């Protein structure tokens, strides 16, 4: 389990009487936020400003974070395009019935 996994595993959550962790909606949102940002390739250090911004905050108050998200989105769209080209190639080869 990586550093992020360990962090999420030990995420401070309330505990029930049976010692099971109880996650509030806010906790679930935070975990999803961290997981999603990590999947973009963002470092934990780069995530800090996003996590510090309030969920209810207007993005207008954080133009630099909006720019970073747009940049991450563009990068991901390029990756998707590249992966789609690979899928298209595989589909053509499968239709031909003779992979090379």
């Amino acid at each position: 389990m990586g550093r992020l996994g360990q962090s999420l595993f030990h995420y401070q959550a309330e505990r029930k009487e049976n010692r099971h962790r109880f996650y509030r909606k806010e906790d679930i949102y935070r975990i999803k936020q961290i997981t999603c940002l990590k999947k973009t390739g963002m470092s934990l250090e780069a995530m800090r400003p996003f996590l510090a911004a309030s969920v209810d905050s207007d993005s207008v108050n954080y133009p630099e974070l909006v720019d970073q998200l747009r940049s991450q989105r563009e990068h991901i769209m390029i990756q998707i395009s590249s992966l789609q080209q690979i899928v298209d190639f595989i589909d053509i080869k499968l239709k031909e019935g003779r992979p090379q």
Side-chain angles (χ1 to χ4, degrees), residues 7-85:
S7 297
L8 294 178
F9 181 75
H10 295 291
Y11 189 82
Q12 295 298 321
E14 296 177 32
R15 291 201 180 254
K16 293 183 174 185
E17 289 179 21
N18 61 6
R19 298 185 33 87
H20 292 168
R21 287 185 174 89
F22 173 76
Y23 294 97
R24 299 168 299 161
K25 283 184 180 182
E26 299 84 12
D27 299 327
I28 301 296
Y29 177 82
R30 177 58 56 104
I31 291 169
K32 286 181 179 180
Q33 185 181 27
I34 292 168
T35 303
C36 184
L37 292 172
K38 186 66 178 169
K39 286 180 181 179
T40 70
M42 195 178 288
S43 70
L44 292 173
E45 189 61 34
M47 287 183 210
R48 289 188 196 284
F50 291 94
L51 301 175
S54 170
V55 174
D56 299 326
S57 297
D58 190 344
S59 60
V60 172
N61 298 326
Y62 301 96
E64 66 282 350
L65 297 182
V66 171
D67 289 344
Q68 284 182 352
L69 283 177
R70 284 189 178 128
S71 176
Q72 289 288 346
R73 184 184 189 284
E74 184 177 330
H75 178 70
I76 290 168
M77 293 305 292
I78 291 168
Q79 288 178 318
I80 290 171
S81 176
S82 177
L83 290 171
Q84 186 59 55
Q85 290 174 4

